[in-house]
């Protein structure tokens, strides 16, 4: 029984990411799925999907965590080194298809890094 419920919540959450193809903040996700899933379930599923390598998370400028689909990572080789772009006008965040080389730093062991680039997105530069 628990398995079925879990699968359904995973489905509902993944659907949000597939339809948008951009990053979604946790608070937005909670609002969108308010009628279907409770907050605790959403948090738990997001964590699990990140462990499974389907989603990755990062922080936006305001400090809220965001999640986005991982394009080509597998569980064993999950390296998230692409920067994210946050539009200062509309707040849209997406994954940039660029690889950033994180330098080796002596006497430091890097466990994660994140690069957030801010500016205006395509639509905000040139509104149609
Ligand atoms: Zn924008
Ligand atoms: Zn990303």
């Amino acid at each position: 029984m628990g398995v079925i419920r879990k699968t359904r919540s995973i489905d509902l959450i993944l659907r949000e990411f597939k339809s948008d193809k951009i990053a979604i903040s946790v608070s937005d996700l909670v609002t969108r799925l308010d009628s279907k899933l409770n907050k605790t379930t959403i948090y738990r599923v997001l964590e699990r999907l990140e462990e499974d390598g389907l989603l990755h998370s990062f922080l936006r400028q305001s400090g809220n965590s965001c999640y986005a689909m991982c394009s080509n990572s597998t569980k064993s080789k999950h390296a998230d080194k692409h920067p994210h772009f946050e539009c200062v006008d509309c707040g849209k965040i997406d994954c940039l298809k660029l690889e950033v080389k994180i330098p080796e730093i002596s006497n430091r062991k890097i466990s994660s890094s994140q690069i957030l680039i801010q500016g205006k997105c395509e639509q905000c530069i040139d509104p149609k």
Side-chain angles (χ1 to χ4, degrees), residues 2-92:
V3 178
I4 295 164
R5 263 183 48 209
K6 244 184 216 166
T7 311
R8 184 180 159 265
S9 43
I10 288 172
D11 264 12
L12 284 169
I13 288 176
L14 282 179
R15 208 176 295 159
E16 292 292 323
F17 286 99
K18 275 177 188 150
S19 59
D20 262 13
K21 289 197 170 120
I22 56 167
I24 310 173
S25 72
V26 176
S27 48
D28 279 355
L29 209 58
V30 169
T31 314
R32 285 193 212 181
L33 297 170
D34 191 33
S35 56
K36 294 166 191 157
L37 300 170
N38 69 48
K39 211 171 167 173
T40 320
T41 308
I42 294 173
Y43 278 90
R44 218 185 305 132
V45 171
L46 286 173
E47 259 171 44
R48 207 189 126 181
L49 290 172
E50 185 169 22
E51 273 168 31
D52 287 350
L54 282 161
L55 297 178
H56 59 278
S57 65
F58 54 94
L59 297 176
R60 65 191 297 171
Q61 188 61 27
S62 60
N64 291 326
S65 26
C66 289
Y67 281 83
M69 285 283 256
C70 295
S71 47
N72 53 6
S73 49
T74 60
K75 191 178 180 176
S76 54
K77 216 181 85 178
H78 190 214
D80 183 35
K81 287 179 193 158
H82 60 267
H84 293 98
F85 189 91
E86 178 172 12
C87 177
V88 292
D89 280 3
C90 68
K92 189 176 90 178

